[in-house]
Amino acid sequence: MAHIDYYLATLSPWAYLAGDRLEQIAARHGAAVTYRPVDPAQLFARTGGQMLADRPQVRKDYRLQELPRWSEYLNMPLNLHPAHFPANTAPSSYAIIAAQEGGADVGPLVRGFLRAVWVEDRDIADDAVIRDVLAAHGHDPALADKGLFVGAEIYGRNLERAVEAGVFGVPFYIVQETGQRFWGQDRLDFLDRHLASL
């Protein structure tokens, strides 16, 4: 069985636009997925990227055209200027990690946090929001507390693992068995094709 490491940030519009396509691909090929939330600011700093605020205006302008294109193409609503962006991704990431460490399927939870930002205008750094998203996806809201202890260490390890594996952006997908890397939700078709070839 193939295993996919999925590096993500709970604030990424591109991770939001990936929807559940990764999970559909994994199910089709009998692959397992490990969700590895990372701090995008630290990842970019370590790999030569730039946070949105630091990018040249021409890149910011293009992003504002490209996001609506993908939103329409995928038929996924998206607020181009969410009320709570940027926000601290650590608390929501800790909750995801704690849920995954407990053996839960966290795909819907990941999508819940992303939707909270890009559709619902909610602050995913707010403890009440984190607890509400956890509960809405069938998880114990107390994982928000457990995540502070379980998630923080793994969150840091995810960053180191990402840098070592050649990750430089999010969303990023790596097939462990082959080392093939796929950056961006627009590369999911190539991930699908690769898994079909194994």
Side-chain angles (χ1 to χ4, degrees), residues 3-10 15 18-27 31-38 92-101 103-112 114 139 151 154-155 157-159 161 171-174 176:
H3 195 116
I4 303 162
D5 280 332
Y6 173 25
Y7 293 91
L8 66 120
T10 54
D20 66 352
R21 283 178 288 149
L22 171 63
E23 289 78 10
Q24 291 181 32
I25 290 167
V33 177
T34 299
Y35 297 80
R36 300 192 183 281
V38 293
S92 56
S93 297
Y94 296 170
I96 290 166
I97 291 167
Q100 183 169 246
E101 287 295 299
D105 172 13
V106 296
L109 179 62
V110 169
R111 294 191 297 276
L114 290 163
H139 300 279
I154 295 175
Y155 191 52
R157 289 207 311 261
N158 282 350
L159 176 66
R161 185 177 186 133
F172 210 104
Y173 316 91
I174 300 179
Q176 286 186 4

Side-chain angles (χ1 to χ4, degrees), residues 69-83:
R69 287 181 190 138
W70 277 102
S71 172
E72 180 183 12
Y73 178 70
L74 297 169
N75 195 27
M76 295 179 67
L78 181 142
N79 180 353
L80 198 53
H81 301 285

Side-chain angles (χ1 to χ4, degrees), residues 121-156:
D121 274 339
R122 304 176 79 191
D123 182 1
I124 59 166
D126 183 88
D127 186 64
V129 172
I130 292 169
R131 291 174 183 276
D132 186 57
V133 174
L134 281 163
H137 292 85
H139 300 279
D140 184 351
L143 283 174
D145 299 321
K146 185 177 180 183
L148 295 175
F149 303 100
V150 175
E153 180 184 354
I154 295 175
Y155 191 52

